Amino acid sequence: MSIDQRLEELGITLPQPAAPVASYVPAVEQGGLLHISGQISFNEDGNLILGRLGEDMNLERGIAAARRCGIMLLAQMKAALGSLDRVERIVKLGVFVNSDPSFTDQPKVANGASELMQEVFGEAGRHARSAVGVTVLPLGVAVEVDAIVAVRD
């Protein structure tokens, strides 16, 4: 089964990849790895998912925001590689969570993106990860996720 078929089976429609908002590129392929710049949380309608976990956003909404970041990562992968079937393995995700100082469930929020990669790529979606709480993210978004992906020629 192709990854596109798997996405269809999961009911996932990839959005247009987000354009960079500053002086960088969305993805760089080098030495068998695809490095994807941080993707921020957008709703299905294209609006930003704003908020701070533990302040004005609950855990469930944070997990959903991380999943949406993961969907945008998939869109960037497809744009950079031409086909998601070139993904050999998700190597690492870096998850940044806009957090109140008392909020300590960043790993649970990060599971929104991590579990998506496993749903889409199976065992090849299991990866190393960091989940970090930060005091602010660009544009006030709730979550940002970047990725390193091993790719096939």
Side-chain angles (χ1 to χ4, degrees):
M1 172 184 305
S2 75
I3 298 301
D4 284 340
Q5 290 170 320
R6 180 73 181 136
L7 290 173
E8 187 175 326
E9 184 180 88
L10 292 168
I12 297 171
T13 302
L14 297 182
Q16 281 295 112
V21 297
S23 187
Y24 63 91
V25 294
V28 172
E29 185 178 352
Q30 179 67 42
L33 296 173
L34 181 67
H35 297 261
I36 305 171
S37 297
Q39 301 299 303
I40 59 177
S41 49
F42 287 95
N43 278 322
E44 293 86 354
D45 63 9
N47 289 319
L48 294 170
I49 302 172
L50 305 172
R52 176 172 288 146
L53 277 290
E55 184 177 288
D56 58 1
M57 178 174 273
N58 66 24
L59 179 60
E60 182 178 286
R61 286 184 56 221
I63 292 168
R67 182 177 177 89
R68 291 299 304 168
C69 291
I71 289 171
M72 188 59 77
L73 284 170
L74 295 172
Q76 294 291 3
M77 286 178 218
K78 186 168 185 175
L81 300 173
S83 170
L84 290 172
D85 293 320
R86 286 193 58 207
V87 172
E88 185 175 323
R89 181 177 188 112
I90 305 301
V91 175
K92 183 173 184 196
L93 295 183
V95 182
F96 304 90
V97 181
N98 187 348
S99 304
D100 181 83
S102 65
F103 184 81
T104 59
D105 280 334
Q106 290 83 5
K108 290 179 183 174
V109 171
N111 283 345
S114 291
E115 291 172 3
L116 172 69
M117 295 304 155
Q118 293 170 46
E119 289 171 25
V120 172
F121 296 108
E123 188 62 27
R126 293 178 52 84
H127 52 271
R129 183 182 82 187
S130 55
V132 180
V134 297
T135 58
V136 67
L137 284 170
L139 308 174
V141 297
V143 182
E144 179 175 352
V145 183
D146 63 17
I148 300 171
V149 179
V151 296
R152 297 179 182 89
D153 288 330

